[in-house]
Amino acid sequence: MASSFLSKLWFWPRFFWRQLTSMRNALILLLLLAVAAVPGSVYPQRSADPNGVKFFYDNEPELAAVLDQLQLFDVYTSVWFSAIYILLFVSLAGCVLPRTKIHFEALRARPVQTPKNLERMPEYLSEAGDSSVLESAMVVLKKRGFRIDRQQESISSEKGYAKETGNLVFHYSLVGVLLAVGFGGGFSFSGQRVLVEGDTFVNNLASYDSFSPGALFNEGQLEPFSLTLDEFDVVYDLANRANIGQPIDFVASVSADFGQTQTTSDIRVNYPLAAPGANVYLTGNGFAPVVTVFDGDGNISYQGPIVFLPQDSNMTSLGVIKAPDALPEQLGIIAFFYPTAEKLTTGAYTSIYPDPISPLMTMNVYTGNLGLDSGIPRNAYALDTTNMEMIAGRDGPVAAIELEVGQSADLPDGLGSVRFDGLLRFASLDVAHNPGGIWVLLFAALSLVSLTMSLMVPRRRVWVRLVPGGKIEFAALSRRDDPNLPQVLEEIVQEIRSGSKK
Amino acid sequence: MTEVVLNEPLSQVSLLFVSSALAFLALALVLFSFQLVKLSTVEAVSSEAKAASSGSIMVDEKIATDKMTATERAGFILLWVSTAILGVGVVLRGVAAGRVPWANMYEFSISGAFLILLVYLTALKIKDLRFIATFITGFALITVFAAVSLFYVEVQTIMPALQSYWLVIHVVVAIMATGFLAVAAGMHIAYLLKASDRARKLFSHFPELLQLERIAYRFNVVGFVLWSFTLIAGAVWAERAWHRYWGWDTKEVWTFIIWVLYAGYLHAMATRGWNGKRAAWLGLVAFLSVIFNFTIVNLFFKGLHVYSGL
Ligand code: HEM
């Protein structure tokens, strides 16, 4: 009674386990995984395209909120996506572990008993012969790498265990990939830093403009090193008329201090610098005009390079200068930079070439309250002009200020002056490390090798039997599709024949 | 990177070759379709005749399936000629650009069509796959036509993000994978046509279903291994170029989806009750995803892979 109760209790878990680890379910889970991955390519993903998500929220806030509830902006970390792949991998383990045991046993066991009815095998030949054929068959099959079992009047042989080995290793390497992705992601980090020519960056948390660590990251992973951007160079295509102005290379020349060693090196797109504990990648670039702002009292209220954000392919760039200490009032400037300026008929400027051939900076100048004291963090690349008054600029009381390199201009009403001292470039650098990467690669490579093995190695059984009355039977069977089986059996029989005649 | 001097006149010559390949492909397609229709009518007649218990037309059936008719032979000659011309066009494009000819959609398309034709024509030497000539030629024709009419761009120097030997490895293997998967997709179509109740008669000269399934499986297997390599190589390149090996960029997503679909197909082939029609549909859906990935995702989805050149 008790045992029947127990078996009833066990029925459902066992039932579910059987279901989960069935081939049919593995297939369904795979298809589900493929389908579940689709929305991540339709909707912007926070991980890959945070601005896209923001944009979506701005345009369709209600829809965005619903999508967000369904985790459609975080598909690949969502509950439902995770559920599918976790179930899939549980199923995989439940499927592959027992098969591993069976395979180990098969590797040690002798080939199967020769079937009674060889004629039923997919490949079958028979001819007259005697026991010398069996002796010869032993030699030939052995030479061909078959595992052989002599069973009285027959030989049972099998070859291609590597197929199953490959299949199992393949599935295990997928588990390896998943684990490496998980752990690696936990300890990974990437930090962004904009560096103007001449500036130095020291690798610690405080010097990053933005930083995204994995869940298990600790600050000790940041090895102390420093980088100075000596020069940033853009190479343009000058050889081909149709491509004039196309950049063909970006080169950040840096001096690196790795503690023990000092080197100089170039960082280029596709060619990161290997620093201690991280790679340093080049992700962007632009102009950083050097500007001095004098206030009404003649004091320097700002001096230095300003990072200008590129706005188009000809490097029209936008920068913001804030002089909170200027007297009598704070000064704010929205500046445009045109590397090769050309005046349009409307009076506005545009840049017609990305390299600085005739560089020009125009400035809209504001006075008033910059709003820096309110405690709300302000974007360095934007100027909040709500509490400010335009004193020079398009549609302002005085036209916008225009400066070439080396020129300076007075601000109206004796509020000070500005000077365009020189032109530098900046590079956006990404310092990133994922310790799992190499393991993901190793497991992926292993999966590729074992997959190839599993798919290409044929697993074949060959039998030879002496039938009373002087007849010899040959038969072959292959697991799965094997177009060459007839030919292989033919060859084996040929070799056996010639062997037995000797 | 050293400066490359593009050869625009040569790229025009290349375009001329590619366009004339288009004309030859179209002619070949006409001949193959003609042959297909003729065969099916012969088949239909012969099976009706069989039903009417006359044995005399049986001979025709044999001829139809085994020997090449003049139409078919002419079709294959044209197919060889167009492949050769297309090949010259592809090579000249590479010479004109001073690099491998697969850095934008126009170039992927012409190189891809060339490779698919090459895979098919080579496979023909090993195995009698004449019966899918119509599909393969049609597919190549559409690809080259789309290349010339929709995707065409002048030769350009390539942006720094593409200046990597990974462009050579990753992309060429992807194109090769597509070649194998395309032939398999042709088999799937043949299978499904033949297996459908209504069209059985029309396609009775196609190989047996079991054989179609096996050929498809073999091509898919090779395609899948190549696709796996493409995926891994892409991740390695992404680590160099985009500072992470995987970021669920739209193109990465679709490469993954395709990989999983083909893994599903291979499973289906090993699952009782799932091979046959279901596996064929799955293989076809997987291949449609390959096409989708190449066209819609390249052109309309936002992502880092903005290399269509358009
Ligand atoms: C992450 C999920 C999985 C992936 C990506 C995957 C992928 C593959 C691939 C590509 C193959 C064909 C290669 C070969 O035959 O060696 C294969 C075969 C196979 N898989 Fe999986 N698999 C997964 C999960 C599973 C699960 C859960 C099971 C068990 C239910 C399973 C059982 C098998 C079996 C038995 C074969 C051999 C089929 C044959 O005889 O050809 N797999 N798998």
Side-chain angles (χ1 to χ4, degrees), chain A residues 20-27 29-30 33 87-96 99 163-164 166-168 170-171 174 450-451 454-455 479-480, chain B residues 217 224 259-260 262-264 266-267 269-270:
Chain A
L20 186 62
T21 56
S22 74
M23 267 312 262
R24 195 173 63 97
N25 262 292
L27 173 56
L29 284 170
L30 274 171
L33 186 69
L87 268 183
L88 184 58
F89 274 88
V90 171
S91 159
L92 188 153
C95 190
V96 173
R99 271 173 59 205
K163 185 181 191 68
E164 181 73 356
N167 182 291
L168 293 171
F170 167 72
H171 284 90
L174 294 182
S450 51
L451 171 72
S454 167
L455 290 171
R479 177 153 159 209
R480 296 198 60 74
Chain B
Y217 176 77
F224 181 71
W259 189 82
V260 173
Y262 276 106
L266 292 178
H267 269 221
M269 288 295 287

Side-chain angles (χ1 to χ4, degrees), chain A residues 237-238 240 243 248 270 281 283, chain B residues 4 6 157 161 163 239 243:
Chain A
D237 187 351
L238 297 175
N240 304 290
N243 290 298
I248 50 175
N270 272 320
Y281 302 86
T283 62
Chain B
V4 171
L6 304 170
T157 28
Q163 291 164 16
E239 194 278 329
H243 347 134

Side-chain angles (χ1 to χ4, degrees), chain A residues 234 236 243-247 285-287 309-318 336-342 344 349-360 425:
Chain A
V234 184
Y236 293 98
N243 290 298
I244 297 282
Q246 289 272 358
N285 72 95
F287 288 103
L309 299 182
Q311 308 291 310
D312 63 22
S313 60
N314 281 328
M315 298 298 283
T316 300
S317 307
L318 175 66
F336 290 89
F337 175 71
Y338 310 93
T340 301
E342 173 131 315
L344 300 171
Y349 285 95
T350 182
S351 174
I352 54 167
Y353 190 71
D355 221 18
I357 292 172
S358 56
L360 179 79
R425 288 182 190 263

Side-chain angles (χ1 to χ4, degrees), chain B residues 163-215:
Chain B
Q163 291 164 16
S164 165
Y165 50 89
W166 285 110
L167 173 68
V168 181
I169 303 167
H170 169 71
V171 181
V172 83
V173 177
I175 294 176
M176 262 160 52
T178 309
F180 279 90
L181 298 176
V183 175
M187 299 295 162
H188 290 317
I189 296 175
Y191 184 100
L192 291 168
L193 286 177
K194 188 166 172 131
S196 83
D197 282 335
R198 260 164 295 158
R200 183 171 299 145
K201 254 187 200 164
L202 279 178
F203 297 95
S204 55
H205 66 282
F206 278 18
E208 288 310 310
L209 285 179
L210 193 63
Q211 189 155 13
L212 286 172
E213 182 173 40
R214 288 191 169 171
I215 303 171

